[in-house]
Amino acid sequence: MPRNLPSLTSLLAFEAAARHLNFTAAGKELHLTQTAISHQIKNLEEHLATRLFVRRNRALVLTTAGQQYLESVRDAIGLLQSATARTRDEKSTEVLTIHCLPTYAMQCLIPRLPEFQALHPNITLQVLTHSTFDQFRQRSYDIAFRYGTGQWRGLKTQLLQSEEIFPVCTPTLAHGINPEAPHAAMAQLAQIRTYFSSTYQDDWPVWLEAAGLGNIDFAREIIFNLQVTSLHAIVNGIGVGLGRTPLIDTYLREGALNAPFKLRLKTGSGYYIVCPEDKAEHRRIQVFWKWACETLGAQTNE
């Protein structure tokens, strides 16, 4: 049965052009001319009946539709790369595809991957990060690290670490905060908030109410749509933000961040390792699952 799919050449040209935001650079990477890249993009836009790029002030910019399409195209190319590598060298190498939220990947997973690679050099890891939860529903992965309550149909799940929230800031800012009388100091600081869609709710009001500080006024607020950018702002001393374990554990342990208040609230959510139930018996998945549970701190599911 024929499928209404664009050519692979057009998809590769689009992904490269979107990454470089430059047709010439994309052409050099794919050994094509700038004109050929432009022609492939035009064909793809006609196939989709939508614009993927626009030019603004001589700069190439993705449209909203282009940004959304790019995520799926990158996933598809990644899956093709994994399948190709697995088929080409399946006797000596196994490819394990991992999906993960960016901040958890950076703070918790990636620093520990060299240990796994040393133990299992025959398993090639492909780590794909997604900033929205919708991508995890495609289940085109072997293993995923997900945030939530663990209630996902068709998945084998294991809680790795529950989440606690509490204010954090640099040691310099924390030095000026008296936890018994914080109003004056907090009124001089920026409040760092993270909020987008329903992925992460803004728990500042919940924590302030529980701490009896619901009437605190900050000097200003800065709102980010990603945990990773909020965390970067906090570490750089821009203000005080609501830290979430385990994402801030390393910063606390190394002294880059301090927690000026003792109160920590559990949110009811946490970080889970999951895999599709129909893949759970695959050797490479079992090997990584066991390692991750031992290394990243598995807890008993309730």
Side-chain angles (χ1 to χ4, degrees):
M1 181 177 181
R3 297 183 178 182
N4 187 25
L5 295 174
S7 71
L8 180 58
T9 302
S10 293
L11 295 177
L12 291 173
F14 168 62
E15 191 279 333
R19 183 159 27 86
H20 292 288
L21 291 178
N22 185 288
F23 286 178
T24 301
K28 288 181 179 179
E29 178 182 314
L30 298 176
H31 304 291
L32 297 172
T33 65
Q34 184 271 345
T35 302
I37 293 293
S38 179
H39 182 69
Q40 291 296 333
I41 298 301
K42 181 180 178 182
N43 287 344
L44 183 58
E45 289 180 329
E46 290 177 352
H47 184 88
L48 298 172
T50 189
R51 293 288 299 276
L52 299 173
F53 295 97
V54 294
R55 288 195 176 275
R56 294 178 184 169
N57 299 324
R58 298 184 179 180
L60 196 64
V61 179
L62 280 166
T63 63
T64 300
Q67 292 173 342
Q68 294 172 346
Y69 192 53
L70 177 60
E71 290 192 14
S72 296
V73 169
R74 280 178 172 165
D75 280 352
I77 292 174
L79 288 172
L80 286 173
Q81 290 173 330
S82 296
T84 300
R86 194 157 45 235
T87 302
R88 183 177 57 194
D89 198 19
E90 62 181 359
K91 291 184 179 179
S92 60
T93 302
E94 296 181 277
V95 178
L96 184 76
T97 301
I98 301 170
H99 285 201
C100 192
L101 291 166
T103 315
Y104 187 84
M106 293 170 63
Q107 300 301 125
C108 302
L109 176 61
I110 293 175
R112 295 171 172 84
L113 287 183
E115 175 189 334
F116 179 82
Q117 291 181 312
L119 293 171
H120 304 283
N122 64 315
I123 298 179
T124 297
L125 301 179
Q126 181 180 49
V127 182
L128 306 177
T129 57
H130 305 292
S131 59
T132 61
F133 288 178
D134 290 341
Q135 295 295 324
F136 291 95
R137 298 194 183 105
Q138 297 182 10
R139 302 188 185 179
S140 55
Y141 50 79
D142 296 317
I143 290 281
F145 292 93
R146 292 192 61 168
Y147 170 84
T149 60
Q151 304 301 311
W152 302 296
R153 291 182 180 178
L155 295 179
K156 176 183 177 182
T157 68
Q158 172 64 56
L159 176 65
L160 294 176
Q161 190 165 346
S162 57
E163 179 186 59
E164 293 181 329
I165 57 172
F166 48 94
V168 292
C169 58
T170 60
T172 300
L173 295 184
H175 182 72
I177 299 175
N178 178 356
E180 302 301 324
H183 290 72
M186 301 287 263
Q188 305 300 315
L189 300 176
Q191 181 188 30
I192 306 297
R193 300 174 58 195
T194 309
Y195 178 77
F196 67 103
S197 179
S198 59
T199 304
Y200 287 100
Q201 69 179 45
D202 180 14
D203 286 318
W204 260 115
V206 176
W207 187 91
L208 289 172
E209 188 67 28
L213 301 174
N215 60 342
I216 274 188
D217 291 320
F218 290 87
R220 70 193 71 84
E221 67 178 16
I222 306 176
I223 302 173
F224 295 91
N225 71 326
L226 294 175
Q227 285 291 324
V228 65
T229 46
S230 289
L231 189 53
H232 191 67
I234 298 168
V235 171
N236 279 274
I238 293 177
V240 57
L242 205 60
R244 296 175 180 271
T245 58
L247 305 181
I248 59 170
D249 288 352
T250 299
Y251 289 119
L252 292 172
R253 185 168 58 252
E254 295 177 351
L257 292 179
N258 283 2
F261 301 93
K262 293 182 179 180
L263 177 63
R264 298 188 177 197
L265 291 182
K266 285 193 173 183
T267 65
S269 294
Y271 288 88
Y272 290 77
I273 183 173
V274 309
C275 74
E277 290 178 343
D278 59 356
K279 294 184 178 182
E281 299 305 316
H282 291 191
R283 190 196 72 86
R284 67 184 183 279
I285 293 176
Q286 291 181 339
V287 168
F288 188 88
W289 185 284
K290 182 176 183 295
W291 172 84
C293 288
E294 292 174 350
T295 304
L296 298 172
Q299 301 178 11
T300 303
N301 272 333
E302 296 180 359

